[in-house]
Amino acid sequence: MSKLEVKGLYKTLEGVFTLNNLSLTLKEHEVVVILGPSGCGKSTLLHIIAGLIPPDRGKVYIDGRDYTCQTGRVSYMQQKDLLLDSRTIIDNVALPLVLRGIPKELARRQAALHLDDFGLSGFENYYPRQLSGGMKQRAALLRTYLFSSDILLLDEPFAALDAITRRKMHLWLIDLQQRFRSSVLFVTHDIEEALLIASRIYVFSARPAQVRLEIDMQSIPHRPDSLYRLKNRILAELEGE
């Protein structure tokens, strides 16, 4: 059984046909990357999975149960870190626990148990403005993880970082996912990012989004020549729009 299954989603936003009979799956402990041109409906899909907007048609299933239009089941990290400038890092990351009704001091203690794994140990009393871009994204990801650890929706979380920091964050995310075994749905328009972190890749068409290509990265030899050919194949699909 798939951890997450999206079946036959259709969506029109403000008169614009955005998703066209879109279906995909996310297996347990898998990293699935969605690649597609800007504006094709990738973020709209994540909004629907998170229950923030309804589809016109179609269903979202988690562990075999219908979660269409239901919020609170998955964690969703959007493109900006959305950390609260007036709160320390520990209070930012503990916020999902507080919202669940856990007393503030206990929430802080529980969140603090994860600081070292997320590279934030020693920075719990800093404010977001005092941290680098990479560290702010780590804090945002910890907050996302504490909201719901089994399914993470990540919408271009590293797009605003410089190339060196982004590469470090990729390697850190791979290590983190292997240790915590979350199921991750990761949106990007960066092909090299997708090739590095994905178990499987879905390549979307231009709006209205449809799946043009599904790639099982476990079946691809991780040699430079194989990855080069695959990158060109993906580019051909995207440029074919």
Side-chain angles (χ1 to χ4, degrees):
M1 182 189 297
S2 298
K3 185 69 178 175
L4 167 69
E5 186 173 10
V6 171
K7 282 190 173 182
L9 289 189
Y10 290 82
K11 185 64 181 178
T12 297
L13 283 173
E14 299 180 353
V16 178
F17 191 17
T18 305
L19 302 180
N20 182 16
N21 193 24
L22 193 68
S23 298
L24 57 79
T25 60
L26 172 66
K27 299 173 186 175
E28 193 136 25
H29 313 315
E30 186 180 38
V31 179
V32 166
V33 174
I34 297 172
L35 264 174
S38 296
C40 74
K42 301 185 298 294
S43 296
T44 299
L45 172 63
L46 295 194
H47 276 56
I48 291 173
I49 294 171
L52 300 178
I53 60 175
D56 298 334
R57 287 161 54 193
K59 296 289 184 180
V60 175
Y61 296 96
I62 298 174
D63 292 328
R65 178 181 166 187
D66 186 354
Y67 272 90
T68 312
C69 301
Q70 295 187 46
T71 59
R73 177 58 185 84
V74 301
S75 293
Y76 184 13
M77 180 175 166
Q78 301 185 46
Q79 293 179 24
K80 295 183 179 179
D81 60 65
L82 300 179
L83 298 175
L84 301 174
D85 292 335
S86 61
R87 298 194 182 197
T88 61
I89 294 305
I90 192 64
D91 284 333
N92 265 286
V93 301
L95 186 59
L97 304 178
V98 173
L99 292 176
R100 279 191 221 152
I102 297 175
K104 189 173 183 179
E105 286 305 316
L106 179 57
R108 284 174 170 169
R109 290 197 297 273
Q110 290 183 6
L113 297 174
H114 299 279
L115 290 176
D116 189 50
D117 286 322
F118 282 74
L120 296 167
S121 183
F123 293 89
E124 52 266 40
N125 294 317
Y126 282 57
Y127 288 86
R129 63 181 177 275
Q130 297 174 287
L131 300 187
S132 67
M135 293 190 73
K136 285 193 285 190
Q137 292 303 89
R138 291 182 185 186
L141 192 54
L142 174 53
R143 183 180 60 188
T144 303
Y145 175 81
L146 290 175
F147 183 84
S148 176
S149 61
D150 65 333
I151 300 177
L152 308 181
L153 311 181
L154 307 181
D155 191 354
E156 301 196 58
F158 309 138
L161 303 177
D162 64 84
I164 294 173
T165 304
R166 189 162 62 247
R167 173 70 176 185
K168 290 179 180 177
M169 292 296 292
H170 292 155
L171 298 175
W172 172 78
L173 177 63
I174 292 168
D175 176 68
L176 194 74
Q177 189 275 335
Q178 289 174 346
R179 284 188 286 131
F180 285 92
R181 306 296 285 165
S182 299
S183 301
V184 178
L185 191 61
F186 190 109
V187 161
T188 185
H189 60 265
D190 185 324
I191 297 175
E192 292 185 358
E193 182 171 62
L195 295 179
L196 178 63
I197 69 173
S199 308
R200 280 188 301 124
I201 297 172
Y202 286 99
V203 179
F204 281 12
S205 68
R207 189 176 59 236
Q210 295 178 298
V211 175
R212 288 184 63 102
L213 191 63
E214 180 182 351
I215 302 162
D216 181 0
M217 291 300 296
Q218 310 303 314
S219 67
I220 304 295
H222 278 230
R223 301 192 310 264
D225 59 328
S226 297
L227 295 176
Y228 178 76
R229 286 195 297 270
L230 180 55
K231 180 178 179 179
N232 284 339
R233 181 184 175 194
I234 293 171
L235 273 172
E237 288 290 342
L238 295 174
E239 291 174 352
E241 299 301 323

